[in-house]
Amino acid sequence: MSHLISFHSKQYISLPSPFGEGSGVRLLFPFQSFLSKQYIPLPSPFGEGLGVRLLLFLLSFLPSLYLSAQSFRKEIDAQPELSASNYLAYPAPSGRLTPPPAGYVPVYISHYGRHGSRYLIRKEQYIRPLRVLERADSAGVLTDAGRDAAAKIRRMLAESYNRWGELTPLGAEQHRRIARRMYERFPSVFSGPVWIDARSTVVIRCILSMENELQELLRCNPRLQIRHDASEHDMYYMNLSDEKLARQKENDEVKTTMKEWDGQHLDCHPLLSRLFTDTAYAGRNIDAPQLAHDLFSLAGIVQNSEIRHSLSLYSLFTPDERYRLWQRANIWWYLHYGGAPQNGGTQPFSQRNLLRNIITTADSCLALSRPGATLRFGHETMVMPLTCLLDLNSSGIQVFCVDSLEAKGWIGSRIFPMAANIQLVFYRNPRRPHADVLVKALLNEEEATMPLPATATPFYYRWSDFRRFYLAKLNSYREP
């Protein structure tokens, strides 16, 4: 279809969209509602000619932006579970690792991992949407699709009953597999009677995640010496509660950004028309955004349970709706836990104590001939800001236009699925004891870049550069 540009008293751009008419416009330009229009007025204060050149200049950026957004949209269309954001079950890693420089061997691993797959945290997350559907059924206004959804939610409720937020069998298995891969990839770290120090937050799903990894490591090497603990004593770095930063991530600019994005991009009423036969009843009795959020959460979480092979709720949503609801979650996480300028750009510093602990503990362990490993287990609300604080794969970027997050590669689903983990692997050259210690970062077991001076081997950085850069970053932080 051709798209015309008209230049009379005003200039308008009709933008082609990879997601259907008008969608691309809304993705790129959040400052105007496009519920009834697919055009952007761009009056030029510099005269007609410059207005044309400005429009052509802006249009030159569209292909790369569309390509990036379209690529993850295609991934979601092919695998709807990817739209689950932080509910995404841990994806299997590629297994590809760049070999270290000649003579170097892994000697120590410092790790922080999220608990594995879990149920929803609160009973209300199951009960609230089920109550809405059952009331509508009693009133005789529920569609067949609505009744089918209610039956599925009852199954999910029965499976998770009184297990709110607990680790699922899949979550336990994820950690056993991560531990085995860690052992097989870096056998020199775990050989002989080396010490493994493991810490967890005091939440049971994190403790059980830790225990599953440790049990698997012991199966691999029964001679390992293991210390493990879960105490409030360590929560100042394992799960810091920073009230000042917490207030800042809910500031007016963050709230306004989300509210405006919702108003421009989300329309939950088509979902209601598929669930309820009486639109007047739905209008009077249903909180459409809340119901859409609840059902989408249920659709995402089921992949973490034992009934995942026989039940899905994604058919309730169109491909566009799945994508938009994922996009909203991606923006929400960025604004609340990423380096968003809307929150002051400092949310990643919520993990300053954790990063400092990682550095000081590594210094102590590297002083030993056999350093072993330090394992820590917590939550995505630590993994996400720590990833951004380390700026792994440029995740610490500041983005003013939240619709461009995908174009800039900020995709939360790739950072914090269930069982997400950061592994810092340290290397020495035993034949050259005074050679630089090297360190490599793995994000979810995939090699990640860091903003450090490069060495001759990709993904390997000097530990001295790591210490210098990140300690200076930590020391530069000033509390709000």
Side-chain angles (χ1 to χ4, degrees):
M1 178 179 177
S2 62
H3 293 261
L4 302 177
I5 303 177
S6 173
F7 302 97
H8 298 292
S9 58
K10 293 184 178 180
Q11 290 80 45
Y12 297 88
I13 313 175
S14 176
L15 298 179
S17 167
F19 313 126
E21 287 298 311
S23 304
V25 173
R26 294 195 295 273
L27 270 174
L28 293 170
F29 299 93
F31 49 78
Q32 180 178 335
S33 172
F34 295 93
L35 297 177
S36 60
K37 295 184 179 180
Q38 297 171 3
Y39 301 96
I40 308 172
L42 287 174
S44 171
F46 310 111
E48 291 292 311
L50 189 54
V52 174
R53 292 195 295 273
L54 175 61
L55 290 171
L56 296 175
F57 174 77
L58 290 172
L59 285 168
S60 69
F61 288 95
L62 294 181
S64 62
L65 291 172
Y66 280 149
L67 181 62
S68 179
Q70 195 174 17
S71 63
F72 197 69
R73 167 66 187 265
K74 287 182 177 179
E75 290 183 43
I76 291 176
D77 286 348
Q79 185 181 352
E81 289 79 11
L82 290 174
S83 67
S85 189
N86 61 316
Y87 293 160
L88 176 65
Y90 191 71
S94 67
R96 295 186 297 271
L97 290 180
T98 303
Y104 275 86
V105 295
V107 296
Y108 172 64
I109 294 176
S110 183
H111 154 283
Y112 191 98
R114 182 192 182 190
H115 58 76
S117 288
R118 61 166 172 80
Y119 301 104
L120 290 176
I121 290 176
R122 293 179 298 278
K123 176 181 179 180
E124 186 68 14
Q125 292 175 279
Y126 297 91
I127 293 294
R128 183 171 53 215
L130 182 58
R131 186 183 299 125
V132 170
L133 296 177
E134 289 181 337
R135 287 174 177 170
D137 198 20
S138 297
V141 296
L142 198 62
T143 64
D144 289 343
R147 280 188 288 274
D148 180 63
K152 290 178 178 179
I153 297 172
R154 290 188 197 101
R155 285 185 62 194
M156 295 177 68
L157 177 62
E159 182 194 36
S160 61
Y161 193 78
N162 279 346
R163 290 187 176 275
W164 325 121
E166 291 184 8
L167 196 71
T168 66
L170 177 61
E173 178 64 23
Q174 289 162 350
H175 281 283
R176 291 193 293 270
R177 291 179 181 178
I178 290 169
R180 179 163 288 276
R181 285 192 294 266
M182 192 185 298
Y183 180 87
E184 292 173 346
R185 284 175 149 186
F186 311 111
S188 56
V189 173
F190 299 100
S191 64
V194 297
W195 281 97
I196 308 298
D197 186 83
R199 308 291 174 95
S200 170
T201 66
V202 295
V203 178
I204 189 62
R205 60 181 175 271
C206 301
I207 296 172
L208 290 175
S209 295
M210 173 178 70
E211 295 303 325
N212 274 277
E213 283 209 19
L214 293 177
Q215 288 176 15
E216 190 65 26
L217 287 173
L218 280 171
R219 289 189 188 97
C220 296
N221 177 10
R223 299 177 65 196
L224 291 174
Q225 305 295 305
I226 290 179
R227 292 182 293 253
H228 49 132
D229 196 12
S231 171
E232 288 289 346
H233 176 271
D234 296 321
M235 293 309 99
Y236 75 95
Y237 72 89
M238 288 289 294
N239 190 4
L240 176 66
S241 178
D242 189 318
E243 294 183 1
K244 292 181 180 178
L245 283 177
R247 287 194 298 269
Q248 197 165 307
K249 70 185 176 186
E250 288 290 350
N251 66 26
D252 290 342
E253 188 172 359
V254 169
K255 292 177 181 177
T256 298
T257 301
M258 284 306 316
K259 184 177 180 180
E260 290 180 350
W261 193 93
D262 287 350
Q264 295 160 8
H265 297 277
L266 292 185
D267 181 6
C268 302
H269 292 92
L271 174 63
L272 298 188
S273 68
R274 296 192 293 274
L275 294 172
F276 307 103
T277 60
D278 188 334
T279 56
Y281 172 92
R284 291 192 308 269
N285 297 282
I286 309 300
D287 182 340
Q290 182 67 65
L291 181 61
H293 171 78
D294 287 344
L295 291 175
F296 198 65
S297 294
L298 290 166
I301 202 68
V302 74
Q303 65 187 278
N304 299 285
S305 73
E306 293 304 286
I307 59 175
R308 61 188 181 276
H309 301 300
S310 61
L311 188 156
S312 175
L313 287 169
Y314 278 120
S315 61
L316 290 175
F317 303 92
T318 67
D320 280 348
E321 288 167 346
R322 284 198 301 263
Y323 173 70
R324 288 297 184 197
L325 288 166
W326 168 82
Q327 192 181 26
R328 185 191 190 280
N330 197 53
I331 292 169
W332 187 95
W333 280 100
Y334 176 72
L335 290 175
H336 287 78
Y337 291 92
Q342 294 87 345
N343 67 37
T346 56
Q347 287 304 315
F349 282 97
S350 65
Q351 302 312 302
R352 60 192 182 276
N353 291 350
L354 175 56
L355 180 53
R356 198 175 293 276
N357 176 268
I358 288 171
I359 294 171
T360 57
T361 303
D363 281 340
S364 298
C365 291
L366 290 170
L368 304 173
S369 59
R370 299 294 309 281
T374 304
L375 310 179
R376 308 168 185 86
F377 297 85
H379 309 269
E380 79 269 47
T381 48
M382 280 77 245
V383 174
M384 170 64 80
L386 177 61
T387 301
C388 296
L389 185 59
L390 290 167
D391 200 11
L392 300 183
N393 296 331
S394 300
S395 57
I397 57 173
Q398 294 200 347
V399 179
F400 287 91
C401 176
V402 293
D403 277 318
S404 66
L405 281 176
E406 294 157 79
K408 296 183 180 296
W410 205 97
I411 295 175
S413 304
R414 294 173 178 163
I415 297 175
F416 65 168
M418 299 290 187
N421 59 93
I422 297 171
Q423 299 176 29
L424 297 175
V425 186
F426 293 76
Y427 293 77
R428 282 177 176 153
N429 188 331
R431 296 182 180 179
R432 298 172 54 205
H434 298 294
D436 289 322
V437 174
L438 301 181
V439 60
K440 172 168 65 176
L442 302 180
L443 176 60
N444 300 323
E445 302 179 80
E446 305 285 4
E447 293 174 325
T449 61
M450 292 187 279
L452 302 173
T455 65
T457 307
F459 301 110
Y460 291 83
Y461 302 90
R462 285 176 288 271
W463 171 235
S464 57
D465 290 336
F466 183 109
R467 290 184 78 263
R468 185 181 306 110
F469 178 82
Y470 289 113
L471 285 174
K473 187 173 186 177
L474 292 172
N475 293 335
S476 71
Y477 175 68
R478 298 292 179 267
E479 292 190 11

